[in-house]
Structures are given as C-alpha cells and as structure tokens.
Amino acid sequence: MSRIGYVGLGIMGGPAALNLIAAGHELTVNTRTASRAEPVTRAGASYADSPAAVAAASDFVFLNLPDTPDVDLVLFGEDGVSSAPGFDGLVIDMSTIDPGRTVEIAAELSERGIGFVDAPVSGGEKGAIEGNLSVMAGGSESDFARALPLLEVIGERITHVGPAGAGQMVKACNQLLVGSNLMAIAEAMVLAERSGLVSPAVMREAVTGGFADSRTLQVHGQRMVDSTFEPGFKSELHAKDARIVEKMAAETGTPIAAFDVARRALERLVETGRGELDDSAVIEIVREEAERDTE
Amino acid sequence: MSRIGYVGLGIMGGPAALNLIAAGHELTVNTRTASRAEPVTRAGASYADSPAAVAAASDFVFLNLPDTPDVDLVLFGEDGVSSAPGFDGLVIDMSTIDPGRTVEIAAELSERGIGFVDAPVSGGEKGAIEGNLSVMAGGSESDFARALPLLEVIGERITHVGPAGAGQMVKACNQLLVGSNLMAIAEAMVLAERSGLVSPAVMREAVTGGFADSRTLQVHGQRMVDSTFEPGFKSELHAKDARIVEKMAAETGTPIAAFDVARRALERLVETGRGELDDSAVIEIVREEAERDTE
C-alpha cells in the first residue's frame, strides 16, 4: 500500500480519492475549500495544511485542479509540492491543463528529482465515482509504470500515449472533437427546423447508424432535441478546455477555423450567463444567431 | 411485378437497376452514356431513347442523376418524363439534389397527375450492389406506400421522414454532419502532429470509444492516419452536396459557419485537382494551410 497525497477534492478529485482509500492506500489531502475534504477525512484520510505538507507525507501526489495556474501554484508556489524538503516521489496530474506548460512542468520537476505523469481523464463525475474513468497518460516509461497500479484504481481504460504533455495533448484533441461534433449537430438541427421540411428529432433518428453517427449525436443530439441542458459537462468547463485547444493551435500554427466556431459558441454561453448548462446548449447560440440574422 | 423505368445508370443507379431486375421487375432504361446501360440491358432491361419513352413504358420512374439541373432536364426538358402522354405514375428520385427545388418539382409533377418521392440514399456503391442502402424518403403517405415495396428491393433501412423535399433535407443534414466531423478529425490530427507530443494514430486510438467517437473517426480517421485517399466518397461529390447545404442555409437564414470551413476545404481539393480523392483528404488542406501560415 502506498502513501498518497491528493490536492483538489472537487467533483472529480473527491470520488477518485475515496476510491484510493477504499483500495487500502494511506491518503493525505489538501484542498482550497477545506469543507470539501470532509467526506475523504471521514473515510480515513489525513488533512495537511499545504501542498508541501501533503508531499512531505507522501510518495505519490495526485492533482485534480481547475486550470493551468492552479497546477503551477500548487506545484511551485509558496508551500507548493516542489518546496517539500526531500520529496522525490511522483506527481500525477489529473487536471485538464495546457499541454505546452505541462512539458515545462515535467522538466522543472525532473530537475528537482520529482517524477511526473499527466493523466487527464474523461468519463465525468459518474466515471470518477464508479472508478471507470478513461485515462490518457503522458510521461516516461518508468514514471508511467509507477503510476499505473494507482491509475487502475481510479480508471478502467488507461492509455500511455507518449511523453509528458502527450496526455494533455490527447485530451485537448478529445475536447476539440467533441466540441466540433456538437457544433455540427447544432447547425444541422437548426437547418432542419428552419427548412420546415423535417424536425430535428426525425432528422437525427434517420441519420443515426450511418456515416453521420457519433457518440455526441446519440447523447448530446437527444439533449438538443429535448432542450434539456442539465449537465453532463458544463459549457464553462468546455469553454475553458477550448481555450487550451486555441492556445495550443496558436503555438503550433495549426488552423482550427471549424473548431473556433464551436469555441466561440461555448464562450457566448458563458458570457450570457449559461455557463452552467450542458455544452449541448450550443444549439441555442446557433438558433439565436439565425433569428438575429433574419430580423 | 411492376413496369419500372430507370434514368441514370451510374455507380449507384446501375447496381440498383440490376437489383430491381433480379427481383423480377420489367425495366426500361435510359442514360446519357448509352454504354453504361449494357450490363442492365444484358440482364433483360429494354433501352428507350428518351426519358419520355421510358415513362411511356413504365408505372414507376427512378432517377439517379448527378445534380439538380440534371433532374430538371430529365423531368421537364424536351422529351422529359413529364412530356410522356398519359404518364401518371410515380417518380422516385434517388439523386442527391436541392431540397427547396425538390418541393417545387413535387408540386409541378402533382399538377400533371404524377406522384413523387424523393429518396436519396447513403451507403455508397457497396450498398447499391448489395441492396442494403439507407433511404431517406420524402413524399405523401400514399406516394411513399406505393414506392416502399420497390425501395425495399434496393435498400434495407427505409425511413419516411416527411413530405416531398424532406428526404433531401435529411440527406443535406447527413452530408453536413459527415463533412464537419471529417473537418474536426483533420484539425485534431494536424494539431496533434504539429505538437510533436503525440501521433495522430495514437491520439485517434486513445479517444476512440469515448465521447469523441464517431463513425468518421473510425473509418475516415483511419484513412487520414494511413494517408490512403482512394474513395470511398469522392471529394468532388461531397463538395457538390456541400453546395446544396450552403444554398439551403442561405435560403433559410441558418448560420453554418463551422460547416463552411469543411465546405471550403472540399472545394479547395476540387480546385487543386484532388476532387477524385476520398473526402478524408481534407486533412491535406489543413496541413497545407498550417505550412503556409508558418512559412
């Protein structure tokens, strides 16, 4: 059994930490909102006052944080993980953050003798609770081998996709694909309804099973037909991931003009107070633009 | 057994006509390139010199033509189907054409006592040969009921999606979805390869099975990974269908900015002499734009 630190006990981190405790590991946790640690400390975890204190008590430190600056702060800030005297364990970052910065983070930790695996996930809160998340892991062979037994506790489909940063890169591509597929369905459905010839529901049913079929057509397409936008995956989180994609595209000089339309629709949802809605609500943006254009 | 006319014996029409003959129907055919009729006449079909002559010998007339003007010419041109004295049968248009014009065609034929079903298909040459095309049919209940036994000979999944024009509308949405999904994969793969962190092949493998999964990721995504662009579905045909989508969007005031990026990539393939390549070749356009932008 391992000594594991866990920083960030939100929707994803909380259940994953509980699964690690249930598997018999010794957990030390820290989180910005201390009340969030209660279910985990009740299950047997120790609470530490800072990420450095977590690291001092651990051989592995999991991170599950909102965005790139949060990961930077927890690792390199005052009382950060890297400032813990003598810590030479492995950091496993399950957050979804910038792939480029992740490459640098891994290098900076390596200079201090700390291992690193980026391990963003998909599968949502349900996957975190049930311990069957999909994990896209980046890191050296030896770091990945060390992380694997723990990743297998929290996930089911663990893919080692390349060096540090590769996991975040695959996650970025995943979010690009889902966003663009959502936008395609939104455009097709609004086109169908404005034609007056066929309802979005009938159109969706007719093309399902053919070359136009996709997981988003099945799941999010139904949400669009029903106009039920309880998340699922919140638009504000997808918008955040879309900014990561956009930054990566700018840094690599990759034209992603089609995805950019999806990104802007997600941002528009956030700007208009609908960031808490499921990302399938992008159909509302297409519908509103159509109405504005024809006024 | 029915007296069936067939106009347009290309990649899709030829095999469908053969399946109708094999089912015991009496066929009369006409096609612009007379040599294309040979396999069908060898199988027992009669050749007629014009669409009007086809209609005169038939109770049903199938059309399988390249584009909207071709359908107009065969129906309403000199020696067109509608000029056949006494023809009051049913026209079944399996071409992929303009949904708006299809609504008008159905009305004009109706005035002359001729029934109409638009029945565009998906499933490609393979589906046409094997008789398992997916058919999206538009028309009145009674016209659809008359067409159904014949559509069942050439297809397996026959969906009545609404009035005349609705079949073409669903087909347009289908082509929009496939085009946008292709473009999403192309952008994600070029982003992955330019990051230097993960190969398109590994990225595709890692996201398959999750929310980013789609039929195009499985089929066309593999073609992009292998850079094998034998069609499949030719870019020039997808570009033609994309123009239909664009026209419908303009007529209905629907913003389809994301699909527009896919449409322009397909047009670019045609302009640069690559219209015969599979539509998954849009990845080459993304790659070339990235290279040009970073020169």
Side-chain angles (χ1 to χ4, degrees), chain B residues 77-133:
Chain B
E78 201 183 336
D79 293 325
V81 167
S82 68
S83 70
F87 176 66
D88 58 359
L90 182 72
V91 170
I92 302 171
D93 182 18
M94 294 178 59
S95 323
T96 293
I97 68 163
D98 182 7
R101 178 62 193 139
T102 294
V103 173
E104 296 168 357
I105 286 172
E108 289 169 33
L109 290 177
S110 177
E111 282 173 21
R112 304 176 198 213
I114 301 169
F116 181 83
V117 168
D118 51 309
V121 300
S122 76
E125 185 177 4
K126 189 163 172 284
I129 293 169
E130 293 172 3
N132 57 15
L133 294 165

Side-chain angles (χ1 to χ4, degrees), chain B residues 12-282:
Chain B
M12 301 300 286
L18 284 173
N19 283 331
L20 288 165
I21 295 168
H25 297 291
E26 184 186 320
L27 257 73
T28 306
V29 303
N30 172 265
T31 189
R32 271 186 307 185
T33 316
S35 64
R36 279 207 172 145
E38 271 172 32
V40 180
T41 51
R42 218 181 303 128
S46 308
Y47 192 84
D49 278 338
S50 70
V54 166
S58 306
D59 298 311
F60 298 87
V61 177
F62 278 85
L63 309 183
N64 237 151
L65 300 163
D67 207 347
T68 313
D70 308 295
V71 171
D72 264 325
L73 189 68
V74 163
L75 288 177
F76 303 112
E78 201 183 336
D79 293 325
V81 167
S82 68
S83 70
F87 176 66
D88 58 359
L90 182 72
V91 170
I92 302 171
D93 182 18
M94 294 178 59
S95 323
T96 293
I97 68 163
D98 182 7
R101 178 62 193 139
T102 294
V103 173
E104 296 168 357
I105 286 172
E108 289 169 33
L109 290 177
S110 177
E111 282 173 21
R112 304 176 198 213
I114 301 169
F116 181 83
V117 168
D118 51 309
V121 300
S122 76
E125 185 177 4
K126 189 163 172 284
I129 293 169
E130 293 172 3
N132 57 15
L133 294 165
S134 288
V135 183
M136 297 147 262
S140 69
E141 288 292 347
S142 61
D143 283 349
F144 176 72
R146 275 199 288 166
L148 186 58
L150 301 180
L151 293 175
E152 283 172 341
V153 172
I154 59 173
E156 261 181 8
R157 198 156 173 273
I158 324 287
T159 314
H160 186 204
V161 293
Q168 297 295 353
M169 193 61 227
V170 170
K171 179 71 189 279
C173 288
N174 188 78
Q175 301 305 77
L176 184 164
L177 290 166
V178 173
S180 286
N181 288 0
L182 280 179
M183 201 64 201
I185 300 163
E187 289 184 353
M189 285 192 173
V190 176
L191 183 61
E193 72 192 11
R194 291 180 74 86
S195 78
L197 289 170
V198 66
S199 72
V202 170
M203 183 277 287
R204 174 183 165 278
E205 182 63 29
V207 304
T208 297
F211 275 114
D213 208 353
S214 65
R215 184 80 178 274
T216 48
L217 185 70
Q218 291 165 19
V219 176
H220 303 78
Q222 189 61 51
R223 289 181 194 149
M224 291 186 203
V225 164
D226 298 336
S227 287
T228 54
F229 301 128
E230 293 90 44
F233 188 60
K234 288 180 187 174
S235 297
E236 61 194 18
L237 295 177
H238 206 153
K240 182 214 94 180
D241 293 352
R243 274 171 237 138
I244 292 171
V245 173
E246 184 193 24
K247 185 160 177 284
M248 205 63 208
E251 285 170 11
T252 59
T254 310
I256 53 164
F259 176 71
D260 201 51
V261 179
R263 184 187 62 74
R264 279 182 277 129
L266 290 164
E267 292 287 8
R268 183 86 192 124
L269 283 172
V270 176
E271 287 159 14
T272 53
R274 288 173 284 182
E276 303 267 320
L277 296 186
D278 188 70
D279 50 3
S280 53
V282 290

Side-chain angles (χ1 to χ4, degrees), chain A residues 115-130:
Chain A
F116 181 84
V117 167
D118 50 311
V121 301
S122 75
E125 185 176 5
K126 189 163 172 282
I129 292 168
E130 295 173 2

